[in-house]
Amino acid sequence: MIALRIGLAALFLMIAVTVQTSVLTNIAVAGVTCDLTLIVVIALALSRGPEWGAITGFAGGLLLDVVPPADHTAGRWALSLAIAGYIAGLIRRETSGSPVGPLGVALTVVLGTAVSFFLYSATGSLLHDPSVDWGEFGVRLGIAAGYDVVGAIVVIPLVMWLMGRVKPARERRRVSP
């Protein structure tokens, strides 16, 4: 069953990266678009915990780092999404297994967006990336957070539902009344 979960998570990440880099770039505002990969990472972290969030964040970020048109130093997205995924997983852990409500999910997405966007920009500054513009950071972060919350409305429930359907038999028996 764990292999099925891993395969499903990998499929979600590959679809997210493909759609993000090929389709969503056409609706960018101020160079910012919906970070579908981050949304999938947050959904996986909320459904499975911080370890899954960190691992899937690293994998999804690494895919973003190497898939064309990647024009930055490899590893920046991997670091950013791994930390954002881990934090989202910690939020799941703090709710002690109870479902995170819609407002909690939206706030988790905004926090994940802020963390990943800041880390990506900060590492870009450290590496002297000319595309990092701190003067536009707030505006771009607001656009990114708005896009991500809208994308999360559809993506997070779908990913969490599908991941919830893939459970070992012992977990399914415990949940049944």
Side-chain angles (χ1 to χ4, degrees):
M1 210 40 95
I2 191 75
L4 187 56
R5 285 181 182 167
I6 292 170
L8 195 55
L11 179 66
F12 288 145
L13 289 173
M14 287 188 282
I15 291 170
V17 169
T18 302
V19 170
Q20 181 175 331
T21 57
S22 62
V23 176
L24 296 180
T25 55
N26 297 324
I27 58 169
V29 174
V32 179
T33 187
C34 181
D35 193 346
L36 194 57
T37 308
L38 171 68
I39 295 168
V40 168
V41 166
I42 289 173
L44 292 168
L46 288 174
S47 68
R48 304 301 314 156
E51 294 82 10
W52 271 74
I55 292 167
T56 57
F58 180 79
L62 197 56
L63 283 172
L64 283 176
D65 283 329
V66 298
V67 169
D71 60 350
H72 57 275
T73 306
R76 288 174 58 196
W77 276 123
L79 173 67
S80 301
L81 294 185
I83 292 174
Y86 184 77
I87 291 170
L90 288 177
I91 291 170
R92 176 189 186 262
R93 183 179 287 167
E94 288 302 314
T95 61
S96 36
S98 62
V100 179
L103 180 60
V105 170
L107 291 175
T108 303
V109 170
V110 170
L111 177 64
T113 301
V115 166
S116 68
F117 201 72
F118 174 77
L119 286 173
Y120 183 79
S121 297
T123 55
S125 276
L126 290 172
L127 297 170
H128 304 291
D129 184 350
S131 67
V132 175
D133 182 10
W134 288 103
E136 295 291 317
F137 181 81
V139 170
R140 294 181 74 188
L141 177 60
I143 294 169
Y147 263 141
D148 291 351
V149 167
V150 170
I153 291 170
V154 174
V155 174
I156 288 181
L158 177 65
V159 170
M160 289 183 72
W161 180 77
L162 286 171
M163 289 300 287
R165 305 294 297 165
V166 182
K167 291 183 180 177
R170 68 179 183 277
E171 285 184 32
R172 280 183 279 191
R173 276 185 247 137
R174 268 190 278 152
V175 174
S176 300

